[in-house]
Amino acid sequence: MTDLSQTFFCCSSLAIITGASRGIGRAIAIEFAKRFEDRLHLVLTARTVKGLQETSSLIESLDKYSPERISVTIVPGDLRDGTEFPGLLDKLFSDIDSAKYQQAVLINNAASPGDISLLVRDFSPVQATFIQEYFFSNVTSTLLLNSRLISSFPMSGQGSGATNPVRRTIVQVTSGSAIRAHASFSLYCSGKAARDMLHKVVAVEEPSVRVLSYDPGEVDTAMLRQITHSISPVTAKLMTDLLKVAVTPERTAGVLCDLLHKDEYESGAHIRWHPQISSSLAFLLSQLSPEQVEVSVGPLRLNSPDASKTSFTLS
C-alpha cells in the first residue's frame, strides 16, 4: 500500500513533462533528476527530437544519475495536431504499470504565444483553422493529458483494479497573462486563463489530486526573446523590461520544486514567484484600484478566495 504521507521527492515516481526540449520544461526535468531520492521514470515530450535528446543527455551527465535510479523516455510529438494527438497520448502512457509507482506527476509546461502580431479586430475566418490548432495545443491537449493521468492512476474504488492508491500531482506552468490582458495577446491570454480554470475544476472534481498552477515569473526563455521582437511597440517595451529582470529557467524550476516539497499550497491555486517587485508587477498593480489589492509577505500567490480581489504576497 502506498504511503500517501511521504514527501514529494521520496516516492517511486513517474513524471511526464511536456515542452521538455528546452527552457522551463528542460530545467524541471533536470531538477527532478537531482532531487528525487527514489526511483524516477521521466517521460519527456516536445516537438524536437534533438532538444529532447539534449535534455536526456544533460540528465545522464549529472553526478547523481544512475540508470538504476533514473530512467528517461523521450516521446517526440506535436500537441497542435489533433489528428495525431491520440497516438501521442497512447505513446506517453504506453508500457506504464501503475502498480510500479507510488506517485504520478504531470507537468503541463508546453505552450505557445500564438500570433501576437494581430489585434482581435484583425482576425478573420481565414485564421479559423490556426485558432482551432492554437486552442487544441494549449487547452484541449492539456485537458486530455489530465484526464489520462487521472484515469491511468485511479484511487481505490475508482476503477477496475484500483487497489493501490497512488499520489497524483498535476502542475501547469501558467503566466500572469492568465489574469491580466495585453494588447495583441488575445490567444495567449485567453489560453492561459482557460488553462487556469481547467486546473481549478480538476482540483474541485478530484480532491485527492494535488493541482498547482505555477506562474514562474519573468523567465529568460527563447519564447520571451522571440515575442519581444515580434509585437507592437508598446507591448514590446513591456516585454523588454521583463527581460531585464528575468531569471533563469533553472532558478524558477528550483522554486517550483521547493513548493512541491513543502506541499503547502491550496490545490488549484495560481501561485506566482519572483524574487523582487519587478516591472511586470508594477504594471499589474497600476491596473488595479486599491480596494482590489491585498498585499502580504512571502511567496507570491494569486489565489485570493475573493474573486473580486487579487492577493499579492511578495518575497
Side-chain angles (χ1 to χ4, degrees):
M1 179 70 71
T2 299
D3 180 3
L4 298 182
S5 67
Q6 293 187 79
T7 58
F8 185 87
F9 292 106
C10 294
C11 300
S12 174
S13 300
L14 166 75
I16 299 173
I17 305 176
T18 68
S21 62
R22 62 181 185 177
I24 297 173
R26 171 181 287 179
I28 293 172
I30 293 172
E31 193 68 20
F32 273 15
K34 291 178 179 179
R35 295 205 187 199
F36 269 95
E37 299 296 333
D38 209 328
R39 184 166 53 90
L40 172 64
H41 181 193
L42 286 166
V43 179
L44 310 179
T45 187
R47 292 197 298 266
T48 61
V49 176
K50 181 180 179 182
L52 290 172
Q53 291 172 337
E54 290 173 352
T55 301
S56 180
S57 296
L58 288 169
I59 292 170
E60 292 172 1
S61 69
L62 296 172
D63 291 339
K64 195 175 181 180
Y65 172 80
S66 71
E68 293 78 21
R69 191 179 67 83
I70 301 173
S71 59
V72 180
T73 300
I74 61 173
V75 183
D78 191 345
L79 298 180
R80 299 171 299 182
D81 192 335
T83 59
E84 299 294 331
F85 183 77
L88 173 60
L89 194 60
D90 288 340
K91 289 178 183 178
L92 289 172
F93 287 87
S94 66
D95 300 324
I96 290 176
D97 182 357
S98 61
K100 293 182 178 180
Y101 302 102
Q102 297 171 298
Q103 178 172 239
V105 183
L106 172 61
I107 308 293
N108 289 313
N109 167 66
S112 58
D115 189 339
I116 50 178
S117 68
L118 301 177
L119 301 177
V120 170
R121 65 169 178 259
D122 299 322
F123 284 97
S124 72
V126 174
Q127 285 95 12
T129 299
F130 170 76
I131 295 169
Q132 289 174 334
E133 289 178 350
Y134 180 83
F135 282 102
F136 188 93
S137 173
N138 288 274
V139 181
T140 306
S141 65
T142 302
L143 185 154
L144 295 173
L145 282 163
N146 290 347
S147 175
R148 180 63 70 90
L149 181 91
I150 294 167
S151 60
S152 296
F153 294 89
M155 289 295 290
S156 180
Q158 289 187 328
S160 60
T163 58
N164 186 32
V166 175
R167 177 186 179 129
R168 298 167 297 173
T169 301
I170 296 174
V171 176
Q172 73 128 343
V173 178
T174 185
S175 165
S177 294
I179 60 169
R180 67 182 184 270
H182 298 298
S184 77
F185 275 59
S186 57
L187 293 180
Y188 187 69
C189 290
S190 54
K192 286 296 187 182
R195 277 174 47 151
D196 265 27
M197 184 53 68
L198 167 63
H199 288 83
K200 286 180 182 292
V201 170
V202 172
V204 171
E205 292 180 345
E206 307 287 344
S208 62
V209 178
R210 299 291 285 145
V211 183
L212 172 62
S213 289
Y214 176 64
D215 181 349
E218 292 75 44
V219 185
D220 190 350
T221 62
M223 187 172 79
L224 179 57
R225 290 183 176 274
Q226 172 192 347
I227 64 178
T228 300
H229 299 291
S230 58
I231 51 182
S232 66
V234 174
T235 310
K237 183 180 185 305
L238 173 62
M239 295 300 157
T240 301
D241 289 342
L242 298 187
L243 196 56
K244 293 177 182 177
V245 296
V247 300
T248 63
E250 292 75 17
R251 188 172 183 194
T252 200
V255 173
L256 169 60
C257 287
D258 290 342
L259 287 169
L260 295 172
H261 172 69
K262 293 177 182 177
D263 197 23
E264 297 173 347
Y265 57 89
E266 177 185 354
S267 191
H270 176 143
I271 297 182
R272 177 175 174 79
W273 172 79
H274 200 281
Q276 58 184 319
I277 304 177
S278 68
S279 57
S280 64
L281 181 54
F283 174 83
L284 177 54
L285 290 173
S286 72
Q287 308 304 303
L288 300 173
S289 61
E291 61 271 14
Q292 290 178 298
V293 180
E294 296 176 348
V295 181
S296 54
V297 178
L300 183 53
R301 300 172 185 269
L302 304 184
N303 59 344
S304 172
D306 183 348
S308 66
K309 295 186 176 182
T310 300
S311 296
F312 300 95
T313 312
L314 311 178
S315 59

